[in-house]
Amino acid sequence: MASVGSYLKKHSEALVKDVGIEAACELTGKSKATLGRYYSHNEEHADRFMPIDAVAALEEASSYPHVTSALAELKGISLSYNESRRNQSNREGGVNKEMIALSQRFAMLMAEYNQSIEDGVITVNEAKRMLKETAALQHVLIEMKLHLEEETT
């Protein structure tokens, strides 16, 4: 656990530095000293970690989800990072708009697959194009899921 803790502290520090210490204090409502304790490697702070709500607030303002990425890596999960911000996307049209986008993306993936499999071999470039379409489809599904969760709460 010590190495895991050290790894998380390293990424917590990167997150705070990405946002800036002053902004991090304002976003989390924590003092500089408290934030420093969350990523301190001193023995007396070994069991102190940043609360998840503070991580979420900081990652919303950061250029990269440092802690989320670290947690995923520790679990052997790979994340697909999309720089467009969810809260900045156009949310008008609701689920209907997302269903249309989902249908369009799926059609594009199937078209790529159809074109790629014509000769019976999927080349590296064809696989990359299909992977790109799959990631775009996944993004639409995540947006739809988040929208539906918003409507049920």
Side-chain angles (χ1 to χ4, degrees), residues 20 29-32 34 43 47 53 58 64 72 75 78 80 92-93 101 126 137 140 142-143 150:
K30 309 285 186 197
S31 68
K32 289 180 185 179
T34 299
E43 186 62 35
D47 62 344
D53 60 333
L58 293 176
Y64 183 78
K75 197 65 177 157
S78 95
S80 175
E92 293 180 22
E126 291 168 336
L137 182 63
V140 172
I142 290 169
E143 286 295 317
E150 273 178 16

Side-chain angles (χ1 to χ4, degrees), residues 36-84:
R37 287 183 197 106
Y38 293 146
Y39 54 79
S40 171
H41 292 281
N42 290 338
E43 186 62 35
E44 64 189 295
H45 304 299
D47 62 344
R48 288 191 168 179
F49 295 93
M50 191 177 295
I52 196 70
D53 60 333
V55 170
L58 293 176
E59 286 191 347
E60 181 63 30
S62 72
S63 66
Y64 183 78
H66 298 278
V67 176
T68 299
S69 178
L71 287 168
E73 288 170 4
L74 288 170
K75 197 65 177 157
I77 298 169
S78 95
L79 298 177
S80 175
Y81 180 65
N82 183 339
E83 291 190 42
S84 67

Side-chain angles (χ1 to χ4, degrees), residues 82-123:
N82 183 339
E83 291 190 42
S84 67
R85 299 287 193 175
R86 178 178 180 273
N87 292 335
Q88 293 175 351
S89 65
N90 183 359
R91 303 293 289 160
E92 293 180 22
V95 175
N96 292 336
K97 182 177 180 182
E98 290 163 348
M99 280 302 269
I100 292 167
L102 180 64
S103 298
Q104 290 171 338
R105 279 292 171 193
F106 188 72
M108 291 167 70
L109 175 62
M110 291 297 98
E112 278 295 338
Y113 174 75
N114 188 40
Q115 183 180 357
S116 298
I117 202 68
E118 271 182 354
D119 60 0
V121 177
I122 297 176
T123 67

